[in-house]
Amino acid sequence: MPATVHDATALPSLLAEPALRNLPLMVLGAGSNVLFATDRFEGCLIQLQCASARIVSDDGEHALVRVDAGFDWDALVDWTLDHGLQGLENLALIPGQAGAAPIQNIGAYGVEVGKFIAAVHVCDSHTAAVDRLTAARCGFGYRDSVFKREPDRRIVTAIELRLPRSGATNLAYAGLSEELAAMGGLTPTPRNVAAAVRRIRRRKLPDPAVAGNAGSFFKNPVLARARAVELQSRFKGMPVFPASNDAEHKLSAAWLIEQAGWRGFSDGDAAVSAQHALVLVNLGRATGPQLLTLARRVAASVQEKFGVALEPEPRIVGATF
Ligand code: NAP
């Protein structure tokens, strides 16, 4: 059963409706990070179509922005730039809605949204109680948060972002400076960085509008530092990156999958993108279970070759990985 919500303040009374009691609830945003492994969902699918943004306060150095969950993420990046705010430029062109951003703490090119989130407004899906979780209560980690660890417990209705009006942009990831140079030697303003990120993403990643996909299908594995170094000495050319703490290192899931020979592999219409090994694509009429089977085969082969477990990044509905 679908339910569309245009005003988040109406959510508690919707959840209290007798027809919805005891039904599993699921919020579907843009559907850009979810794999349905079942063709039947016996519950209520909620879509939040509230999509406004406003500056709540501004001290000239930082502004606090409140954004409804249904606001398109990439449009929000432009909205903040249009209002002279920065910080989100490295996260340009990530598909999905603002309400999904805190769930997996979206990140790209060395920036995670959790760094800018001041608070997340939620409605408890069981009790219908509303709450405002400050960042400390969101438990942000690498592509992780309390919202992801306790799926469906809370419905995100809005986010608050605290964004700076000035400061250096983040060019730490290889490729960004080169892209700006290739764009005619552009200075790294927030707007130019957003344009560079969009150009790289359009070039490197398959377009979900052309071949259905959920972006990166696996998280980059984070291992104890000694184990990562040991693997790097056994497998020539293996990239190893710093993780969020000194005791761990991060591997490139795309590299592992490619080395295991999966890039461009297809089984019917379920395929590992030839453009980017981390993305599983639907070339036409692949079913969710077919894509899930492919994902499991990829993960099993990486486990066998490298002894490293891959964890899926998108939400899988109707099955466990
Ligand atoms: P890449 O440059 O080929 O690098 C492969 C992986 O290495 C990336 O996933 C990235 O991890 C990590 N990495 C690269 N440089 C790093 C550095 N200086 N410090 C720490 N880690 C580093 O990556 P890519 O596949 O083209 O992706 C580029 C960026 O877009 C990445 O940040 C990636 O996460 C992001 N992206 C996200 C999605 C998604 O669906 N969430 C889809 C595509 C790309 P991280 O992933 O931790 O950044």
Side-chain angles (χ1 to χ4, degrees), residues 152-234:
D152 297 326
R153 181 177 155 198
R154 308 173 186 88
I155 298 172
V156 175
T157 54
I159 60 174
E160 288 176 33
L161 297 159
R162 185 173 180 270
L163 298 170
R165 291 207 166 272
S166 61
T169 46
N170 183 333
L171 301 179
Y173 269 37
L176 281 183
S177 301
E178 290 78 352
E179 197 67 24
L180 290 164
M183 290 162 77
L186 295 182
T187 50
T189 62
R191 206 176 276 284
N192 288 343
V193 170
V197 167
R198 288 189 176 117
R199 272 172 54 119
I200 301 173
R201 289 186 74 105
R202 285 200 178 102
R203 195 168 60 234
K204 284 182 80 169
L205 293 164
D207 181 350
V210 177
N213 71 77
S216 306
F217 199 90
F218 297 101
K219 298 200 239 182
N220 289 321
V222 176
L223 309 181
R225 191 183 170 129
R227 169 118 175 83
V229 169
E230 182 257 324
L231 280 170
Q232 194 177 35
S233 68
R234 276 176 45 210

Side-chain angles (χ1 to χ4, degrees), residues 33 90 94-95 104 106-112 142-143 172-174 200-201 204-205 214-217 220 239 241-243 250-255 276 278-279 313:
N33 204 38
N90 293 37
I94 294 184
Q104 70 152 350
I106 57 169
Y109 299 98
V111 174
E112 290 180 349
Y142 179 58
R143 306 290 186 270
Y173 269 37
I200 301 173
R201 289 186 74 105
K204 284 182 80 169
L205 293 164
S216 306
F217 199 90
N220 289 321
F241 298 101
K250 184 174 65 179
L251 306 185
S252 162
W255 188 89
H276 198 308
L278 199 49
V279 184
E313 195 189 83

Side-chain angles (χ1 to χ4, degrees), residues 216-281:
S216 306
F217 199 90
F218 297 101
K219 298 200 239 182
N220 289 321
V222 176
L223 309 181
R225 191 183 170 129
R227 169 118 175 83
V229 169
E230 182 257 324
L231 280 170
Q232 194 177 35
S233 68
R234 276 176 45 210
F235 296 98
K236 206 168 173 294
M238 176 183 272
V240 171
F241 298 101
S244 51
N245 68 74
D246 283 349
E248 295 179 315
H249 274 338
K250 184 174 65 179
L251 306 185
S252 162
W255 188 89
L256 299 170
I257 294 167
E258 196 165 338
Q259 294 298 309
W262 290 97
R263 184 167 174 173
F265 173 89
S266 61
D267 182 4
D269 280 343
V272 177
S273 170
Q275 232 175 314
H276 198 308
L278 199 49
V279 184
L280 298 193
V281 286

Side-chain angles (χ1 to χ4, degrees), residues 5-16:
V5 176
H6 297 277
D7 172 5
T9 59
L11 197 53
S13 53
L14 174 78
L15 297 180

